[in-house]
């Protein structure tokens, strides 16, 4: 279904995020017929490029980063026709009049701030002084949204000077992932799970986001953040919220975000003994390690973190949530596992072994879910039990000719145009997440704790295994 015609201005239009994610996502939506004839995308950045040069750059970005096979020949040229470029100085006057003149009256206006947060205030102010933003315009901002509570509040304040909360779309791209949305569908669209979704029936929950890549060329940014700021405060926190929240009355932005906020506010502080931080060691003998990747011999940030987290409310009191994320691990595998308790009594006796149901939500790759169910081992050998997965891989559900699983940015950008904030973070949510994160980081900083080294290609530091073993549980294998 096409969205209303729009003008989307991408500040930072020549940057990495624009090239890797935003422009290819827009191209795919264009291929799917979702962009009306008179919608336009305007790249805006500091560097001086002609229209043709920018279009060429967009074409190259699409060639490099677009993965879809569903575009007809000739579509790229038609897409490039929708693209303009303006050289704009965020801190000066250059380019703003040209940009204002390009805006089409009567269209949805969205401004994507794909730039350093230090420029948010300048951009917001100039959009207003040049009369480009009205009360229906939308602005889109990306993480990092602050590096602690204080800086996040300052950013919220800067944006609030010119925009109402209902106009601000804070992206956490994990919320745009198909499986993450499916989590809500599974929980609140089925009768089957919700009655069991509490500490009475759930033994524990594991959230794993494992990556094989290292910090790549982002060492400078990454080392200022570490995995806690880069992944846990936002992506893992969002997953935790969707898993743990109460059913919202409606699938609407404030109803959903109110419930997520309650989860964040109910999170317990994390004891030092419930945290393991790691840094990857050298790849092969003498290969680059974390320290050399971030080019800082004194780097103390973590490229891996595991945490045991508790939620103080009626639903979850006593159920541990084990979170872990890291780089240079053995596989790229992100999943949430809801591990149910064992049956209260086994009628089959001790020889049948111990069994329990596990609902695994695979975020990537191979998006889907499976539910481990205990059945009788087929054959005449008596009553022996085995666990078999009921497998629902989304690609299968879509069918062989179905569309590919869309990238998170496709969904999120179209939601901006539709004016639907359900999958975006509200200002108070981000602040609450920092309010929980700050003392944890402050704790290890004041104690001078250093991350332990782990081997690239492993499952993370040994200590992370111990973190869960001491509770008589084990991590699911990363594969
Ligand atoms: C980003 C982090 O937000 O998410 C990166 O800054 C991380 O460090 C990335 O690699 C992971 O996203 P995805 O979609 O590949 O799981």
């Amino acid at each position: 279904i096409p969205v209303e015609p729009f003008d989307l201005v991408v500040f930072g239009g020549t940057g990495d995020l624009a090239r890797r994610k935003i422009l290819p996502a827009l191209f795919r939506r264009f291929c799917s017929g979702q962009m009306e004839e008179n919608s336009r995308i305007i790249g805006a950045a500091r560097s001086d490029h002609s229209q043709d040069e920018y279009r060429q750059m967009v074409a190259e970005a699409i060639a490099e980063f677009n993965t879809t096979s569903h575009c007809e020949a000739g579509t790229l040229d038609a897409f490039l026709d929708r693209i303009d470029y303006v050289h704009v100085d965020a801190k000066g006057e250059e380019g703003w009049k040209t940009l204002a003149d390009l805006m089409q009256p009567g269209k949805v206006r969205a401004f994507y701030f794909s730039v350093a947060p230090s420029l948010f205030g300048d951009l917001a102010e100039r959009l207003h002084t040049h009369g480009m933003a009205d009360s229906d315009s939308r602005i889109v901002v990306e993480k990092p949204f602050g590096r602690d509570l204080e800086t996040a509040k300052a950013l919220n304040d800067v944006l609030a000077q010119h925009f109402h909360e209902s106009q601000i779309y804070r992206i956490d791209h994990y919320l745009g992932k198909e499986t993450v949305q499916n989590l809500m569908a599974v929980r609140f669209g089925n009768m089957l799970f919700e009655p069991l979704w509490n500490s009475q029936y759930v033994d524990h929950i594991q959230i794993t986001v494992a990556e094989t890549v290292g910090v790549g060329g982002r060492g400078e940014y990454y080392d200022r953040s570490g995995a806690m700021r880069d992944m846990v405060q936002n992506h893992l926190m969002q997953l935790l919220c969707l898993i743990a929240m109460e059913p919202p009355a409606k699938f609407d932005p404030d109803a959903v975000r109110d419930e997520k906020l309650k989860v964040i506010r109910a999170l317990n502080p994390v004891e030092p003994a419930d945290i393991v931080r790691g840094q990857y060691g050298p790849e092969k003998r003498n290969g680059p390690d974390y320290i050399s990747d971030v080019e800082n011999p004194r780097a103390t940030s973590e490229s891996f973190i595991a945490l045991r987290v508790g939620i103080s409310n009626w639903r979850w009191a006593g159920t541990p949530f084990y979170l872990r994320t890291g780089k240079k691990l053995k596989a790229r595998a992100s999943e949430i596992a809801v591990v149910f308790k064992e049956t209260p009594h086994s009628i089959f006796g001790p020889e049948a072994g111990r069994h329990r149901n596990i609902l695994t939500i695979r975020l990537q790759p191979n998006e889907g879910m499976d539910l481990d169910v205990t059945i009788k081992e087929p054959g005449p050998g008596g009553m022996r039990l085995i666990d078999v997965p009921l497998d629902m891989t989304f690609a299968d559900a879509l069918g062989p000719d179905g569309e590919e699983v869309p990238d998170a940015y496709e969904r999120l950008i179209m939601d901006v145009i539709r004016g639907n904030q359900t999958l975006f973070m509200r200002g108070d949510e981000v602040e609450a997440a920092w309010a929980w994160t700050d003392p944890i980081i402050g704790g290890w900083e004041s104690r001078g704790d250093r991350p332990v080294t782990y081997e690239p290609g492993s499952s993370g530091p040994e200590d992370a295994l111990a973190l869960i073993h001491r509770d008589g549980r084990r991590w699911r294998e990363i594969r």
Side-chain angles (χ1 to χ4, degrees):
I1 310 168
V3 293
E4 268 183 72
F6 61 85
D7 279 338
L8 171 66
V9 179
V10 184
F11 292 105
T14 54
D16 203 47
L17 183 73
R19 293 174 50 254
R20 279 175 190 276
K21 293 288 182 185
I22 305 172
L23 294 162
L26 284 161
F27 176 58
R28 285 192 293 271
R29 288 298 91 208
F30 179 78
C31 293
S32 308
Q34 218 170 12
M35 270 173 71
E36 290 272 14
E37 191 79 334
N38 41 8
S39 292
R40 298 205 74 76
I41 298 156
I42 303 161
R46 226 172 3 187
S47 40
D48 212 353
H49 293 291
S50 68
Q51 187 96 309
D52 285 344
E53 281 165 0
Y54 187 64
R55 288 183 178 177
Q56 180 60 30
M57 199 206 84
V58 174
E60 284 164 14
I62 288 168
E64 191 172 350
F65 298 112
N66 178 43
T67 46
T68 191
S69 49
H70 281 281
C71 268
E72 284 164 25
T75 323
L76 180 62
D77 287 340
F79 177 71
L80 294 176
D81 277 350
R82 311 290 181 81
I83 295 197
D84 288 306
Y85 181 77
V86 184
H87 153 60
V88 165
D89 179 5
K91 288 188 170 291
E93 288 314 307
E94 212 179 332
W96 287 93
K97 168 129 192 6
T98 319
L99 185 57
D101 289 346
L102 275 175
M103 297 275 112
Q104 310 174 85
K107 303 266 152 62
V108 171
R109 282 185 190 177
F111 302 96
Y112 203 129
F113 291 5
S114 179
V115 296
S118 56
L119 294 176
F120 288 1
D122 293 304
L123 293 179
E125 191 179 322
R126 284 182 173 73
L127 286 175
H128 271 271
T129 47
H130 291 273
M132 274 181 265
D134 59 27
S135 60
D136 188 44
S137 305
R138 287 130 217 201
I139 60 161
V140 186
V141 293
E142 280 279 344
K143 68 178 269 265
F145 198 84
R147 57 176 282 107
D148 53 21
L149 177 58
E150 195 185 328
T151 47
K153 273 189 172 157
L155 284 179
N156 276 336
D157 289 348
V158 157
L159 295 176
Q161 283 170 20
H162 299 286
F163 295 93
H164 187 260
E165 181 62 36
S166 62
Q167 300 179 272
I168 304 172
Y169 291 74
R170 295 177 194 77
I171 289 206
D172 183 310
H173 78 280
Y174 267 56
L175 290 176
K177 288 184 191 277
E178 197 61 22
T179 347
V180 177
Q181 296 168 56
N182 235 312
L183 193 55
M184 284 187 277
V186 166
R187 279 197 64 193
F188 306 128
N190 293 285
M191 195 57 218
L192 198 59
F193 300 110
E194 206 44 33
L196 305 179
W197 211 263
N198 57 51
S199 58
Q200 199 184 341
Y201 298 103
V202 174
D203 179 72
H204 73 280
I205 290 176
Q206 298 186 17
I207 302 180
T208 300
V209 178
E211 299 184 277
T212 48
V213 291
V215 300
R218 304 157 71 222
E220 205 194 319
Y221 152 77
Y222 192 89
D223 195 45
R224 273 184 281 114
S225 305
M228 187 70 180
R229 287 191 174 95
D230 184 52
M231 297 292 289
V232 177
Q233 185 272 348
N234 36 76
H235 305 325
L236 275 80
M237 175 71 80
Q238 290 297 322
L239 300 178
L240 174 66
C241 285
L242 296 181
I243 278 283
M245 72 184 186
E246 296 301 314
K250 291 188 269 196
F251 189 59
D252 91 7
D254 280 329
V256 171
R257 296 183 300 177
D258 287 347
E259 295 306 335
K260 289 198 293 171
L261 182 60
K262 287 185 207 161
V263 174
I264 304 176
R265 291 191 173 150
L267 291 176
N268 296 336
V270 183
E271 299 295 326
D274 290 338
I275 306 170
V276 175
R277 296 164 66 228
Q279 269 183 0
Y280 56 82
E283 180 106 43
K284 306 209 180 77
R285 204 172 298 174
N286 297 328
D289 61 358
Y290 178 81
I291 300 279
S292 54
D293 274 355
V294 301
E295 296 174 21
N296 175 6
R298 284 187 305 279
T300 54
S301 290
E302 68 287 347
S303 58
F304 173 98
I305 188 163
L307 303 150
R308 182 185 193 276
V309 176
I311 303 177
S312 281
N313 62 18
W314 272 50
R315 186 187 281 263
W316 294 118
T319 306
F321 286 69
Y322 298 96
L323 275 47
R324 66 179 164 164
T325 180
K327 298 209 183 276
K328 288 232 175 153
L329 296 178
K330 70 195 271 202
R332 177 171 185 259
S334 302
E335 63 163 47
I336 301 169
V338 181
V339 181
F340 290 90
K341 291 186 173 168
E342 289 175 24
T343 52
H345 163 71
S346 171
I347 64 166
F348 306 108
E351 60 281 6
R354 300 172 63 179
H355 299 272
R356 49 188 169 193
N357 303 116
I358 302 178
L359 176 68
T360 311
I361 298 129
R362 297 187 307 269
L363 303 182
Q364 59 199 20
N366 192 20
E367 290 90 342
M369 290 190 203
D370 48 60
L371 176 64
D372 284 355
V373 180
T374 305
I375 59 162
K376 177 187 169 298
E377 190 176 42
M383 201 58 170
R384 290 153 69 119
L385 303 185
I386 52 168
D387 297 330
V388 291
L390 290 178
D391 183 357
M392 198 187 75
T393 301
F394 293 156
D396 297 345
L398 290 169
D401 301 323
E403 274 196 52
E404 291 147 31
V405 175
D407 183 75
Y409 278 86
E410 296 179 50
R411 164 75 198 244
L412 294 176
I413 298 172
M414 290 300 114
D415 275 1
V416 172
I417 307 300
R418 290 188 197 98
N420 184 347
Q421 287 185 305
T422 310
L423 300 177
F424 296 84
M425 292 179 298
R426 209 167 54 191
D428 51 2
E429 225 185 303
V430 179
E431 290 184 13
W434 281 120
W436 176 78
T437 312
D438 279 0
I440 300 175
I441 296 176
W444 72 57
E445 282 179 353
S446 65
R447 291 188 303 273
D449 294 352
R450 299 187 73 89
V452 293
T453 306
Y454 62 93
E455 211 181 308
S458 69
S459 304
E462 293 284 323
D463 293 2
L465 303 182
L467 175 80
I468 188 165
H469 279 177
R470 69 168 194 231
D471 294 344
R473 302 182 174 106
R474 51 172 45 211
W475 288 110
R476 303 200 11 108
E477 202 183 323
I478 296 175
R479 57 175 168 201

